[in-house]
Amino acid sequence: MLRSFKSFFLEENQGKIKLSQRAVIFLFCLLISSFFWLLSALSKDYNSRLYMPLTYDELSGSFVLTQDPPDQVMVEVRGTGFELLGEQWSLSRNPLNINLNQAKEDKREGSYFIPTIELRTRLIRNINPNLTLRYISPDTLYFKTEIRFRKKVPLISDITIDFESGYNMRAEPLLQPDSIWISGPASFIDTVEGVHTEKLVLSKLKDTIDQELPLIHAGIPGVKLERNAVQLIIPVEKFTEKE
């Protein structure tokens, strides 16, 4: 069988092995038939599930989200293979923005919702006009909120300093301001005792430092910082010894 396969696809010409004429004709016919099969398949209608990414406007007023809202909705559409080709890639590049302030209040305290049927018109604008939108899932987007509270907490620095010989601090490092306001749900900010600055390592220091020092927000979910950085001042002076 292997010998028959080789004799069909390969032939020897002047000591060189190459594809036989029969093999070239066979592969050409296979390529043409595959192309027409693909055209036929893409011209048929299909139901397809696509995913529309969502983004959200920040909730205004004295409320804050306590859970991450859904980041996408599933839409089922019907259309030809040609119309569906690349549609998911196109949707991924054009997320649908949701205005949280248009959410309706639910019977459950602190819960709001938006029926996805209200997004239908905007969804249709984002998909190929030749596609038919069949349904959207889920049928409702739910959001959990709590009243936003404010609390002032101290800043905690993480600074390591190595001075040049003959130099030292004239006074303790100073953070301006030395505390900041944070805001968020009471259940979140009650556990926050302070906000840390990013780690800073200074070596062979001989000049006074006056620079911006970023704050670390990681590890405080649902809590908003009043600012993202503070000013760090380290006064340095040269010391001399005398007998």
Side-chain angles (χ1 to χ4, degrees), residues 89-188:
W89 180 80
S90 177
L91 290 180
S92 299
R93 290 170 52 87
N94 297 285
L96 191 68
N97 186 257
I98 307 295
N99 186 353
L100 287 172
N101 298 300
Q102 295 179 349
K104 300 175 176 62
E105 189 170 2
D106 197 12
K107 294 178 181 179
R108 294 168 293 180
E109 184 179 356
S111 182
Y112 292 78
F113 68 94
I114 296 178
T116 52
I117 191 67
E118 296 181 3
L119 308 176
R120 186 180 181 88
T121 303
R122 295 173 59 201
L123 278 167
I124 290 174
R125 291 198 203 107
N126 279 31
I127 63 176
N128 188 320
N130 296 318
L131 294 175
T132 302
L133 179 61
R134 293 170 58 84
Y135 68 84
I136 308 169
S137 178
D139 58 5
T140 308
L141 301 175
Y142 288 99
F143 313 97
K144 291 287 292 180
T145 66
E146 284 187 30
I147 295 177
R148 184 188 296 273
F149 289 92
R150 295 178 79 227
K151 174 183 176 181
K152 199 169 190 178
V153 296
L155 292 174
I156 304 168
S157 60
D158 185 4
I159 306 169
T160 302
I161 307 173
D162 174 38
F163 290 95
E164 184 81 34
S165 178
Y167 291 84
N168 211 326
M169 283 189 296
R170 189 171 68 249
E172 289 298 315
L174 177 65
L175 294 177
Q176 292 183 334
D178 60 359
S179 58
I180 65 166
W181 286 96
I182 62 174
S183 62
S187 57
F188 288 15

Side-chain angles (χ1 to χ4, degrees), residues 155-160 175 195-202 211-218 225 227-232 234:
L155 292 174
I156 304 168
S157 60
D158 185 4
I159 306 169
T160 302
L175 294 177
V195 174
H196 291 261
T197 66
E198 286 190 0
K199 184 178 179 64
L200 179 65
V201 178
L202 301 169
Q211 69 178 56
E212 200 172 66
L213 188 58
L215 301 178
I216 299 176
H217 189 278
L225 304 184
R227 57 173 67 215
N228 296 318
V230 293
Q231 203 68 19
L232 169 66
I234 304 176

Side-chain angles (χ1 to χ4, degrees), residues 58-94:
E58 187 173 350
L59 194 62
S60 63
S62 58
F63 291 91
V64 61
L65 291 174
T66 56
Q67 292 179 358
D68 290 334
D71 59 357
Q72 65 182 15
V73 291
M74 188 276 291
V75 294
E76 182 169 294
V77 296
R78 184 170 181 80
T80 65
F82 286 109
E83 293 160 349
L84 291 168
L85 203 62
E87 189 64 19
Q88 180 61 69
W89 180 80
S90 177
L91 290 180
S92 299
R93 290 170 52 87
N94 297 285

Side-chain angles (χ1 to χ4, degrees), residues 1-14:
M1 183 176 178
L2 181 60
R3 183 175 298 176
S4 300
F5 176 83
K6 287 183 177 180
S7 63
F8 180 82
F9 280 96
L10 303 174
E11 64 181 17
E12 186 175 350
N13 185 11
Q14 296 181 352

